[in-house]
Amino acid sequence: MVAGEASGDTLGADLMAGLKKRFPQARFIGIGGPKMQQLGLKSWFPMERLSVMGFFEVLKRLPELLRLRKQLIQRLTEVRPDVFIGVDAPDFNFTVEKRLKSLGIPTVHYVGPSVWAWREKRLLKIKQAVDGVLVLFPFETPYYDRYGIASRFVGHPLANQVPEFPDKAQAKAQLQIDLSAPLTAILPGSRMSEIEQMAEPYFLAAARLQTDYPQMQFVVPCVHERARLRLQEIKQSCAPQLAINFLDGQSQLALEACDQAVVTSGTATLECALMRRPLVLAIKLHPITHWIMKRLSTTEWVGLPNVLAQETLVTELIQDEASSGAIYQELKRLIEDPVLREKQLQAFEKQYHSLNCDASNLATEAVIDWAKLV
């Protein structure tokens, strides 16, 4: 199994748990984060080495990534696993999968790439690389059917992990936050490149909110120690007066405890929606990355809650729009407009139930079928 970032680590661990129930003696090798390692994955390389987003950012790291991938393929070829499962990280994993499939090793890709958003023709190459694709959203399977690729809608593991009735008071108590204090969660991303881009405007917006609402509390889940140290440095340089709680991970607990959140694009927007917490999306990419993605995109939304709803439920502040002033204004509007909050919450409730499908077991059964493990 190979996962390339925190969200993939969560998905990979969920699937590992399902496979371990069916095959208690199974051994797992590859690349993964702390959740997968806790379940027994032997990670050959640090997962952070794969955690790169965007065309320009990948180019800077390309020689290192190519060397790592070559070493990984060589080791997997020697081991010849019963099945290889690439978890997200499509540009990295599809090459690994294609090579292993050519050697007769069953390959599964978990998380269909966003062919519904851009570059649908990628499916022609994907067909050569995989025996099956596990998709998270029900609208994805027709795309794979058109190209003759086996796919299985499994729902989203986050919907299984999020409580059916989130308990804000209990979560605040766990974080030792005053139950009466309004709480805003700040999620600047799991990649260092996202943190470098978004932390300062997020913190500047939070500082203005704290002036307007003196009782307001803020929490920032930190994906690892390096991220925590960098976030603390940025906060100290741009908003030293801002009182903020930096957490070790605990993003789900932070979202359960909060009244609203500001989030970068990606899995965190969906996690926030599934927790049924109002949010604002704000993200900046490298200008070249944004220019390319904008021209290849076939959907008008970035955030998964909006894509699922096929309407603008959540404000999306992208590139120049993602200024500290705009983030502040949109968060303030979200705090003070009950109609806007309620519209988001009603849609999020429907999304939660549509994606709550016992992903671990469904994904496990699909892997068993495609890899002919029994």
Side-chain angles (χ1 to χ4, degrees), residues 268-279:
T269 60
L270 182 64
E271 188 173 14
C272 194
L274 293 173
M275 193 64 79
R276 282 139 288 171
R277 296 294 183 256
L279 72 137

Side-chain angles (χ1 to χ4, degrees), residues 41 61 65 88 95 97 140 144 230 262 269 310-311 347 362:
L41 176 86
R61 297 268 309 281
L65 291 167
D88 213 352
T95 299
E97 289 157 4
E140 293 183 278
Y144 293 89
R230 184 63 186 127
V262 57
T269 60
Q310 286 295 288
E311 65 171 303
L362 290 175

Side-chain angles (χ1 to χ4, degrees), residues 163-231:
E164 185 174 2
F165 304 104
D167 190 332
K168 187 181 295 184
Q170 184 181 33
K172 278 187 172 179
Q174 279 186 253
L175 293 174
Q176 298 181 316
I177 291 171
D178 183 354
L179 299 184
S180 64
L183 179 66
T184 298
I186 298 174
L187 281 78
S190 60
R191 304 175 181 93
M192 294 305 294
S193 59
E194 292 172 321
I195 288 169
E196 293 295 341
Q197 290 276 16
M198 296 314 306
E200 181 171 326
Y202 280 6
F203 291 151
L204 290 173
R208 291 182 67 180
L209 283 176
Q210 203 161 57
T211 300
D212 291 351
Y213 310 98
Q215 301 306 311
M216 179 78 72
Q217 301 281 307
F218 297 90
V219 289
V220 180
C222 305
V223 68
H224 44 61
E225 183 63 18
R226 183 179 166 213
R228 170 198 276 270
L229 292 173
R230 184 63 186 127
L231 284 162

Side-chain angles (χ1 to χ4, degrees), residues 2 69 72-73 84-102 107-115 119 122-135 144 149-150:
V2 171
R69 188 165 65 188
L72 177 71
I73 290 173
F84 175 83
I85 304 169
V87 188
D88 213 352
D91 294 317
F92 185 91
N93 274 324
F94 282 131
T95 299
V96 180
E97 289 157 4
K98 184 178 180 180
R99 175 62 178 149
L100 296 181
K101 187 181 180 185
S102 74
T107 58
V108 175
H109 193 79
Y110 194 2
V111 185
S114 305
V115 293
R119 287 171 63 200
R122 284 180 291 172
L123 288 166
L124 291 169
K125 293 184 177 180
I126 291 170
K127 186 175 182 177
Q128 301 170 1
V130 300
D131 292 291
V133 180
L134 301 167
V135 300
Y144 293 89
I149 302 170

